[in-house]
Amino acid sequence: PTNIDKMEEIIGKLLSGGVQRKPKIAKGTRDYLPEQMMIRDQAFQIIRRVFKSHGAVEIDTPVFELKDTLTGKYGEDSKLIYDLADQGGELLALR
């Protein structure tokens, strides 16, 4: 079989649900199922309401930043920074 035949076979299996794969979860992270998300969302709504009643305002910051920003904040040796590869030439990092 040619490469195209092999690819078509794999795509056919994927589309039919014939390939089962359990995704790997990164260390220190977790997935939230729909039931868990409902509880989590309710908890965050309560937290937001209490904070707003005391005059707080909500902000949303990116999960990744320029590496220079984070190394200046946490220091070069920090284990809180995870480097990301970027195709645009900038070094990005997760905190």
XYZ file of all heavy atoms in Angstrom:
752
model
N 0.822 -1.205 0.000
C 0.000 0.000 0.000
C 0.861 1.263 0.000
O 1.913 1.314 0.611
C -0.817 -0.092 1.278
C -0.325 -1.284 2.031
C 0.628 -2.021 1.156
N 0.364 2.265 -0.666
C 1.078 3.537 -0.733
C 0.832 4.337 0.534
O -0.017 3.993 1.363
C 0.605 4.367 -1.946
O -0.750 4.753 -1.718
C 0.732 3.587 -3.244
N 1.582 5.428 0.682
C 1.382 6.312 1.834
C -0.028 6.883 1.853
O -0.631 7.051 2.904
C 2.409 7.443 1.833
C 3.783 6.966 2.271
O 3.914 5.932 2.918
N 4.801 7.718 1.914
N -0.549 7.185 0.681
C -1.912 7.726 0.604
C -2.917 6.685 1.094
O -3.851 7.006 1.823
C -2.232 8.196 -0.840
C -1.357 9.410 -1.174
C -3.711 8.521 -0.985
C -1.491 9.900 -2.588
N -2.715 5.430 0.695
C -3.598 4.353 1.160
C -3.555 4.227 2.685
O -4.584 4.070 3.340
C -3.206 3.016 0.522
C -3.443 2.979 -0.982
O -4.335 3.718 -1.459
O -2.737 2.214 -1.672
N -2.349 4.312 3.233
C -2.196 4.215 4.696
C -2.897 5.382 5.390
O -3.577 5.202 6.395
C -0.712 4.197 5.073
C 0.005 2.930 4.682
C 1.483 3.016 5.026
C 2.227 1.811 4.520
N 3.671 1.911 4.753
N -2.723 6.585 4.833
C -3.364 7.759 5.422
C -4.879 7.642 5.353
O -5.582 7.960 6.309
C -2.896 9.032 4.711
C -1.467 9.431 5.076
S -0.848 10.859 4.151
C -2.098 12.066 4.410
N -5.406 7.179 4.218
C -6.851 7.010 4.074
C -7.386 5.995 5.070
O -8.465 6.161 5.629
C -7.203 6.617 2.642
C -7.068 7.768 1.661
C -7.327 7.359 0.219
O -7.401 6.149 -0.071
O -7.458 8.273 -0.610
N -6.621 4.938 5.311
C -7.035 3.917 6.284
C -7.082 4.509 7.701
O -8.049 4.309 8.444
C -6.057 2.734 6.247
C -6.404 1.633 7.225
C -5.381 0.503 7.215
O -4.549 0.439 6.285
O -5.414 -0.297 8.161
N -6.077 5.265 8.053
C -6.028 5.895 9.376
C -7.166 6.891 9.529
O -7.859 6.913 10.548
C -4.662 6.577 9.611
C -3.569 5.505 9.727
C -4.690 7.459 10.858
C -2.159 6.048 9.694
N -7.384 7.721 8.507
C -8.466 8.705 8.567
C -9.810 8.010 8.681
O -10.679 8.419 9.451
C -8.415 9.644 7.333
C -7.188 10.545 7.434
C -9.695 10.476 7.216
C -6.894 11.342 6.185
N -9.984 6.917 7.929
C -11.224 6.146 8.016
C -11.470 5.616 9.413
O -12.586 5.672 9.939
N -10.416 5.110 10.063
C -10.541 4.612 11.443
C -10.896 5.751 12.397
O -11.726 5.592 13.285
C -9.252 3.933 11.888
C -9.032 2.576 11.285
C -7.748 1.956 11.816
C -7.483 0.605 11.202
N -6.222 0.045 11.707
N -10.246 6.894 12.208
C -10.525 8.035 13.082
C -11.973 8.496 12.941
O -12.648 8.781 13.925
C -9.577 9.197 12.770
C -8.130 9.009 13.209
C -7.260 10.118 12.633
C -8.026 8.999 14.711
N -12.443 8.581 11.709
C -13.798 9.053 11.468
C -14.850 8.063 11.946
O -15.945 8.448 12.334
C -13.997 9.366 9.980
C -13.200 10.554 9.450
C -13.378 10.672 7.936
C -13.630 11.837 10.136
N -14.519 6.781 11.940
C -15.486 5.772 12.376
C -15.443 5.537 13.875
O -16.244 4.784 14.414
C -15.221 4.452 11.656
O -14.006 3.874 12.129
N -14.521 6.171 14.555
C -14.375 5.949 15.995
C -13.609 4.675 16.306
O -13.590 4.224 17.439
N -12.978 4.107 15.297
C -12.277 2.845 15.466
C -10.946 2.945 16.184
O -10.390 1.958 16.609
N -10.421 4.127 16.330
C -9.153 4.318 17.029
C -9.467 4.941 18.378
O -10.042 6.018 18.463
C -8.202 5.238 16.228
C -6.944 5.521 17.029
C -7.848 4.598 14.900
N -9.142 4.262 19.437
C -9.382 4.781 20.781
C -8.063 5.241 21.374
O -7.086 4.498 21.356
C -9.999 3.698 21.680
C -11.356 3.228 21.205
C -12.395 4.331 21.250
O -12.432 5.119 22.177
N -13.237 4.377 20.237
N -8.049 6.444 21.869
C -6.838 7.010 22.434
C -7.211 7.789 23.669
O -8.092 8.632 23.643
C -6.178 7.937 21.412
C -4.911 8.577 21.879
C -4.287 9.393 20.772
N -4.855 10.706 20.673
C -4.424 11.760 21.388
N -3.442 11.625 22.229
N -4.979 12.933 21.244
N -6.559 7.475 24.763
C -6.787 8.222 25.987
C -5.732 9.325 26.058
O -4.541 9.046 26.087
C -6.678 7.309 27.205
C -7.017 8.003 28.493
C -7.062 7.051 29.654
C -7.444 7.828 30.894
N -7.618 6.978 32.040
N -6.179 10.580 26.063
C -5.194 11.667 26.093
C -4.405 11.675 27.395
O -4.939 11.365 28.452
C -6.035 12.932 25.951
C -7.431 12.537 26.212
C -7.536 11.061 26.066
N -3.145 12.007 27.271
C -2.268 12.112 28.429
C -2.430 13.501 29.042
O -2.492 14.486 28.321
C -0.827 11.915 27.968
C 0.038 11.191 28.925
C 1.382 10.941 28.288
C 2.320 10.435 29.341
N 3.657 10.249 28.842
N -2.523 13.564 30.340
C -2.684 14.839 31.033
C -1.332 15.245 31.607
O -0.648 14.446 32.238
C -3.736 14.730 32.149
C -5.087 14.362 31.527
C -3.848 16.026 32.920
C -6.148 14.052 32.533
N -0.959 16.487 31.378
C 0.328 16.985 31.861
C 0.363 16.988 33.385
O -0.653 17.252 34.043
C 0.565 18.388 31.328
N 1.521 16.728 33.950
C 1.716 16.709 35.387
C 1.316 18.056 35.996
O 1.669 19.113 35.478
C 3.186 16.407 35.692
C 3.498 16.287 37.164
C 4.965 15.963 37.376
C 5.276 15.873 38.849
N 6.679 15.627 39.100
N 0.550 17.995 37.050
C 0.132 19.212 37.732
C -1.120 19.846 37.154
O -1.528 20.911 37.586
N -1.724 19.197 36.162
C -2.950 19.724 35.565
C -4.068 18.703 35.701
O -3.836 17.563 36.103
C -2.761 20.051 34.069
O -2.520 18.834 33.364
C -1.619 21.011 33.846
N -5.277 19.123 35.355
C -6.405 18.195 35.376
C -7.451 18.654 34.378
O -7.480 19.809 33.988
C -7.006 18.106 36.766
C -7.594 19.419 37.261
C -8.291 19.312 38.569
N -9.441 18.447 38.424
C -10.186 18.042 39.418
N -9.917 18.416 40.622
N -11.210 17.258 39.218
N -8.278 17.726 33.973
C -9.426 18.042 33.136
C -10.650 18.093 34.031
O -10.755 17.346 34.998
C -9.640 16.961 32.070
C -8.561 16.969 30.994
O -7.956 18.037 30.778
O -8.343 15.914 30.384
N -11.579 18.981 33.713
C -12.833 19.074 34.445
C -13.954 18.543 33.559
O -14.154 19.040 32.453
C -13.130 20.527 34.841
C -12.184 21.071 35.870
C -11.086 21.835 35.493
C -12.384 20.827 37.223
C -10.206 22.342 36.445
C -11.511 21.331 38.178
C -10.435 22.077 37.781
O -9.564 22.580 38.714
N -14.677 17.564 34.037
C -15.815 17.013 33.318
C -16.993 17.972 33.435
O -16.982 18.875 34.280
C -16.162 15.641 33.883
C -15.041 14.593 33.784
C -15.448 13.297 34.460
C -14.676 14.348 32.331
N -18.026 17.809 32.591
C -19.150 18.752 32.619
C -19.766 18.954 34.011
O -20.052 20.089 34.400
C -20.160 18.121 31.661
C -19.308 17.369 30.685
C -18.168 16.836 31.517
N -19.953 17.882 34.769
C -20.530 18.019 36.112
C -19.613 18.832 37.027
O -20.068 19.662 37.809
C -20.787 16.637 36.742
C -21.691 15.730 35.933
C -20.961 14.976 34.828
O -19.738 14.766 34.905
O -21.649 14.600 33.846
N -18.329 18.592 36.907
C -17.354 19.325 37.714
C -17.297 20.793 37.295
O -17.161 21.672 38.133
C -15.972 18.685 37.578
C -15.888 17.284 38.136
C -14.607 16.591 37.731
O -14.209 16.635 36.566
N -13.955 15.946 38.685
N -17.416 21.043 35.996
C -17.391 22.420 35.504
C -18.588 23.212 36.019
O -18.470 24.393 36.319
C -17.368 22.456 33.973
C -15.993 22.265 33.377
S -14.759 23.458 33.964
C -15.440 24.995 33.398
N -19.739 22.553 36.131
C -20.921 23.241 36.628
C -20.699 23.701 38.073
O -20.967 24.855 38.416
C -22.144 22.315 36.549
C -23.448 23.020 36.831
S -24.895 22.000 36.499
C -24.592 20.594 37.539
N -20.155 22.832 38.900
C -19.867 23.175 40.302
C -18.792 24.257 40.366
O -18.902 25.235 41.106
C -19.436 21.922 41.088
C -20.602 20.949 41.165
C -18.906 22.284 42.464
C -20.217 19.563 41.656
N -17.752 24.099 39.563
C -16.655 25.064 39.532
C -17.157 26.441 39.094
O -16.808 27.467 39.681
C -15.584 24.539 38.570
C -14.300 25.310 38.543
C -13.303 24.552 37.652
N -12.000 25.160 37.722
C -11.550 26.071 36.861
N -12.306 26.470 35.868
N -10.339 26.565 36.999
N -18.002 26.460 38.067
C -18.550 27.720 37.575
C -19.408 28.400 38.643
O -19.323 29.610 38.837
C -19.362 27.476 36.305
C -19.828 28.769 35.669
O -18.984 29.674 35.490
O -21.027 28.873 35.367
N -20.213 27.617 39.355
C -21.041 28.183 40.426
C -20.172 28.782 41.527
O -20.458 29.867 42.040
C -21.976 27.119 41.005
C -23.075 26.710 40.055
C -23.861 25.511 40.551
O -23.491 24.854 41.517
N -24.951 25.207 39.872
N -19.099 28.090 41.872
C -18.194 28.592 42.910
C -17.558 29.910 42.464
O -17.497 30.878 43.235
C -17.110 27.558 43.222
N -17.110 29.973 41.209
C -16.510 31.207 40.711
C -17.528 32.343 40.626
O -17.177 33.509 40.851
C -15.831 30.986 39.354
C -14.430 30.426 39.482
C -14.175 29.103 39.183
C -13.391 31.231 39.903
C -12.895 28.586 39.311
C -12.099 30.730 40.030
C -11.851 29.395 39.731
N -18.773 32.042 40.311
C -19.811 33.077 40.287
C -20.004 33.679 41.683
O -20.139 34.897 41.826
C -21.135 32.504 39.774
C -21.141 32.268 38.282
C -22.457 31.657 37.810
O -23.491 31.808 38.450
N -22.409 30.966 36.686
N -19.997 32.830 42.700
C -20.130 33.312 44.085
C -18.933 34.186 44.456
O -19.078 35.278 45.012
C -20.272 32.130 45.067
C -21.608 31.419 44.830
C -20.138 32.593 46.518
C -21.721 30.078 45.536
N -17.740 33.714 44.118
C -16.522 34.472 44.421
C -16.553 35.832 43.731
O -16.268 36.861 44.338
C -15.262 33.667 44.010
C -15.124 32.442 44.910
C -14.018 34.529 44.048
C -14.125 31.408 44.419
N -16.933 35.843 42.433
C -17.008 37.110 41.692
C -18.017 38.062 42.346
O -17.753 39.256 42.476
C -17.408 36.846 40.248
C -16.297 36.313 39.393
C -16.741 36.192 37.932
N -15.710 35.566 37.144
C -15.709 34.283 36.784
N -16.701 33.491 37.130
N -14.725 33.792 36.076
N -19.179 37.536 42.716
C -20.222 38.368 43.317
C -19.739 39.001 44.626
O -19.923 40.195 44.858
C -21.487 37.539 43.550
C -22.682 38.356 43.957
C -23.991 37.584 43.952
N -23.957 36.377 44.759
C -24.071 35.130 44.262
N -24.236 34.931 42.964
N -24.033 34.076 45.059
N -19.061 38.219 45.471
C -18.543 38.740 46.739
C -17.476 39.802 46.489
O -17.503 40.875 47.096
C -17.990 37.588 47.617
C -17.234 38.128 48.817
C -19.115 36.655 48.058
N -16.542 39.505 45.581
C -15.493 40.483 45.287
C -16.080 41.780 44.735
O -15.676 42.867 45.131
C -14.480 39.892 44.303
C -13.399 39.080 44.967
C -13.699 37.967 45.731
C -12.073 39.433 44.815
C -12.702 37.223 46.334
C -11.064 38.693 45.412
C -11.385 37.587 46.182
N -17.038 41.664 43.807
C -17.655 42.862 43.223
C -18.408 43.669 44.272
O -18.424 44.897 44.214
C -18.580 42.471 42.074
C -17.832 42.091 40.825
C -18.775 41.699 39.696
C -17.970 41.268 38.482
N -18.838 40.885 37.365
N -19.007 42.988 45.250
C -19.729 43.711 46.305
C -18.777 44.543 47.161
O -19.193 45.461 47.851
C -20.523 42.740 47.187
O -19.661 41.983 48.019
N -17.486 44.238 47.107
C -16.469 44.996 47.840
C -15.684 45.932 46.925
O -14.622 46.443 47.299
C -15.513 44.040 48.561
C -16.157 43.294 49.682
N -16.355 43.841 50.923
C -16.690 42.043 49.732
C -16.963 42.959 51.709
N -17.176 41.862 51.002
N -16.200 46.126 45.703
C -15.583 47.090 44.794
C -14.511 46.548 43.873
O -13.884 47.310 43.135
N -14.275 45.260 43.905
C -13.238 44.689 43.036
C -13.723 44.641 41.592
O -14.926 44.579 41.331
C -12.868 43.287 43.510
N -12.788 44.697 40.671
C -13.096 44.531 39.253
C -12.289 43.354 38.724
O -11.186 43.066 39.196
C -12.786 45.800 38.432
C -13.720 46.927 38.811
C -11.346 46.220 38.587
N -12.843 42.672 37.749
C -12.201 41.473 37.210
C -11.275 41.832 36.064
O -11.576 42.715 35.257
C -13.282 40.508 36.720
C -12.751 39.173 36.297
C -13.859 38.172 35.997
O -15.027 38.442 36.312
O -13.539 37.117 35.442
N -10.131 41.158 35.999
C -9.222 41.274 34.858
C -8.963 39.870 34.337
O -9.170 38.877 35.041
C -7.891 41.974 35.230
C -7.100 41.126 36.242
C -8.125 43.365 35.756
C -5.676 41.598 36.442
N -8.511 39.792 33.121
C -8.175 38.500 32.522
C -6.811 38.657 31.870
O -6.638 39.494 30.979
C -9.231 38.110 31.495
C -9.065 36.686 30.994
O -8.297 35.910 31.596
O -9.699 36.348 29.977
N -5.837 37.910 32.339
C -4.483 38.006 31.800
C -4.166 36.762 30.976
O -4.767 35.711 31.181
C -3.443 38.143 32.937
O -3.533 36.989 33.773
C -3.699 39.397 33.752
N -3.243 36.852 30.033
C -2.914 35.685 29.199
C -2.233 34.589 30.014
O -1.598 34.860 31.035
C -1.960 36.257 28.147
C -1.404 37.497 28.750
C -2.449 38.023 29.690
N -2.398 33.356 29.551
C -1.735 32.244 30.231
C -0.265 32.150 29.840
O 0.501 31.446 30.472
C -2.429 30.890 29.969
C -3.817 30.887 30.555
C -2.456 30.569 28.493
N 0.108 32.867 28.771
C 1.520 32.918 28.405
C 1.924 34.369 28.214
O 1.105 35.226 27.931
C 1.820 32.097 27.145
C 1.103 32.570 25.922
C 1.694 33.498 25.087
C -0.147 32.090 25.599
C 1.036 33.952 23.958
C -0.805 32.526 24.467
C -0.212 33.464 23.650
N 3.204 34.617 28.432
C 3.735 35.980 28.318
C 5.109 35.906 27.680
O 5.676 34.830 27.523
C 3.881 36.614 29.709
C 2.570 36.784 30.439
C 2.741 37.539 31.753
O 3.468 38.536 31.764
O 2.133 37.121 32.741
N 5.640 37.073 27.337
C 7.015 37.117 26.867
C 7.916 36.613 27.989
O 7.719 36.956 29.158
C 7.417 38.541 26.482
C 6.706 39.121 25.257
C 7.059 40.590 25.104
C 7.085 38.348 24.004
N 8.892 35.818 27.646
C 9.769 35.226 28.662
C 10.491 36.304 29.462
O 10.668 36.174 30.667
C 10.769 34.265 28.029
C 11.582 33.542 29.082
C 12.445 32.460 28.522
C 13.187 31.794 29.656
N 14.108 30.789 29.184
N 10.888 37.381 28.804
C 11.586 38.472 29.499
C 10.739 39.039 30.636
O 11.246 39.391 31.695
C 11.942 39.591 28.535
C 13.058 39.203 27.571
O 13.762 38.206 27.850
O 13.221 39.894 26.551
N 9.437 39.131 30.417
C 8.543 39.652 31.448
C 8.547 38.739 32.670
O 8.645 39.203 33.808
C 7.101 39.762 30.903
O 7.116 40.615 29.762
C 6.154 40.313 31.954
N 8.459 37.436 32.431
C 8.402 36.491 33.551
C 9.738 36.334 34.259
O 9.776 36.216 35.481
C 7.909 35.128 33.066
C 6.450 35.091 32.621
C 6.100 33.708 32.102
C 5.535 35.474 33.760
N 10.839 36.331 33.507
C 12.137 36.165 34.173
C 12.452 37.389 35.019
O 13.096 37.279 36.055
C 13.271 35.897 33.168
O 13.270 36.905 32.174
C 13.125 34.534 32.533
N 11.979 38.545 34.608
C 12.162 39.745 35.421
C 11.333 39.693 36.692
O 11.724 40.197 37.735
N 10.187 39.017 36.622
C 9.272 38.947 37.757
C 9.662 37.836 38.738
O 9.630 38.008 39.939
C 7.852 38.688 37.247
C 6.778 38.798 38.316
C 5.403 38.471 37.754
C 4.918 39.548 36.835
N 3.534 39.335 36.385
N 10.048 36.656 38.213
C 10.299 35.504 39.062
C 11.768 35.113 39.176
O 12.127 34.290 39.983
C 9.519 34.282 38.546
C 8.032 34.471 38.581
C 7.297 34.575 37.414
C 7.360 34.556 39.793
C 5.922 34.749 37.452
C 5.991 34.735 39.830
C 5.279 34.831 38.656
O 3.931 35.001 38.692
N 12.608 35.632 38.328
C 14.017 35.250 38.339
C 14.279 34.127 37.351
O 13.406 33.331 37.043
N 15.470 34.089 36.856
C 15.845 33.141 35.802
C 15.730 31.681 36.241
O 15.396 30.819 35.453
C 17.286 33.440 35.354
C 17.761 32.613 34.188
C 17.054 32.964 32.884
O 16.760 34.137 32.661
O 16.783 32.031 32.092
N 16.029 31.361 37.507
C 16.066 29.978 37.961
C 14.721 29.451 38.430
O 14.627 28.327 38.897
C 17.074 29.830 39.111
C 18.483 30.191 38.664
O 18.805 29.912 37.505
O 19.230 30.745 39.480
N 13.691 30.226 38.320
C 12.409 29.841 38.881
C 11.833 28.596 38.212
O 11.882 28.431 37.003
C 11.405 30.984 38.746
O 10.158 30.574 39.242
N 11.279 27.716 39.030
C 10.621 26.523 38.509
C 9.168 26.825 38.159
O 8.422 25.939 37.791
C 10.704 25.396 39.525
C 12.128 24.933 39.742
C 12.214 23.779 40.686
C 13.674 23.401 40.854
N 13.872 22.194 41.594
N 8.757 28.082 38.273
C 7.397 28.483 37.947
C 7.237 28.833 36.471
O 6.149 29.139 36.015
C 6.985 29.706 38.783
C 6.987 29.532 40.286
C 6.712 30.863 40.978
C 5.948 28.501 40.690
N 8.331 28.804 35.703
C 8.311 29.225 34.309
C 8.538 28.012 33.406
O 9.456 27.228 33.612
C 9.393 30.292 34.041
C 9.137 31.519 34.911
C 9.433 30.669 32.576
C 10.229 32.554 34.837
N 7.681 27.884 32.385
C 7.778 26.800 31.410
C 7.946 27.425 30.026
O 7.091 28.169 29.569
C 6.519 25.929 31.448
C 6.285 25.346 32.811
C 5.518 26.025 33.752
C 6.851 24.133 33.179
C 5.311 25.500 35.022
C 6.662 23.606 34.444
C 5.888 24.300 35.348
O 5.695 23.782 36.603
N 9.058 27.130 29.372
C 9.346 27.710 28.064
C 8.456 27.100 26.983
O 8.133 25.914 27.008
C 10.804 27.477 27.679
C 11.763 28.271 28.545
O 11.328 29.262 29.153
O 12.948 27.902 28.597
N 8.089 27.938 26.014
C 7.308 27.511 24.857
C 8.091 27.840 23.597
O 8.737 28.873 23.511
C 5.977 28.263 24.800
C 5.020 28.082 25.963
C 3.826 29.013 25.798
C 4.551 26.651 26.049
N 7.998 26.980 22.617
C 8.611 27.271 21.323
C 7.666 28.184 20.553
O 6.460 28.002 20.576
C 8.839 25.973 20.561
N 8.220 29.170 19.883
C 7.409 30.107 19.111
C 7.987 30.211 17.715
O 9.186 30.397 17.550
C 7.388 31.479 19.786
C 6.613 32.499 18.975
O 5.461 32.211 18.643
O 7.175 33.558 18.671
N 7.138 30.090 16.716
C 7.615 30.138 15.342
C 7.881 31.557 14.868
O 8.486 31.765 13.831
C 6.603 29.460 14.428
C 6.450 27.987 14.739
C 5.377 27.332 13.887
O 4.770 27.964 13.046
N 5.168 26.060 14.125
N 7.452 32.532 15.635
C 7.646 33.916 15.237
C 8.960 34.511 15.700
O 9.242 35.671 15.439
N 9.762 33.766 16.433
C 11.057 34.247 16.858
C 11.105 34.778 18.277
O 12.178 35.028 18.800
N 9.952 34.987 18.924
C 9.947 35.468 20.301
C 9.904 34.286 21.255
O 9.286 33.266 20.968
C 8.743 36.361 20.563
C 8.812 37.685 19.851
C 7.677 38.592 20.261
O 6.528 38.186 20.124
O 7.996 39.703 20.713
N 10.578 34.427 22.395
C 10.525 33.387 23.416
C 9.337 33.658 24.328
O 9.242 34.714 24.933
C 11.818 33.376 24.242
C 13.080 32.970 23.471
C 14.304 33.095 24.370
C 12.948 31.558 22.956
N 8.433 32.689 24.405
C 7.260 32.812 25.256
C 7.379 31.809 26.392
O 8.149 30.866 26.331
C 5.984 32.526 24.456
C 5.740 33.410 23.242
C 4.499 32.952 22.496
C 5.601 34.862 23.646
N 6.628 32.043 27.475
C 6.687 31.144 28.620
C 5.347 31.118 29.325
O 4.589 32.087 29.302
C 7.777 31.595 29.589
N 5.058 29.989 29.958
C 3.888 29.843 30.811
C 4.316 30.089 32.244
O 5.423 29.763 32.631
C 3.310 28.436 30.722
C 2.621 28.053 29.436
C 2.275 26.568 29.466
C 1.381 28.864 29.214
N 3.426 30.636 33.048
C 3.753 30.811 34.450
C 2.891 29.900 35.296
O 1.884 29.419 34.902
C 3.568 32.268 34.878
C 2.191 32.816 34.600
C 2.101 34.277 35.033
N 1.002 34.904 34.388
C -0.251 34.820 34.825
N -0.528 34.129 35.898
N -1.223 35.414 34.181
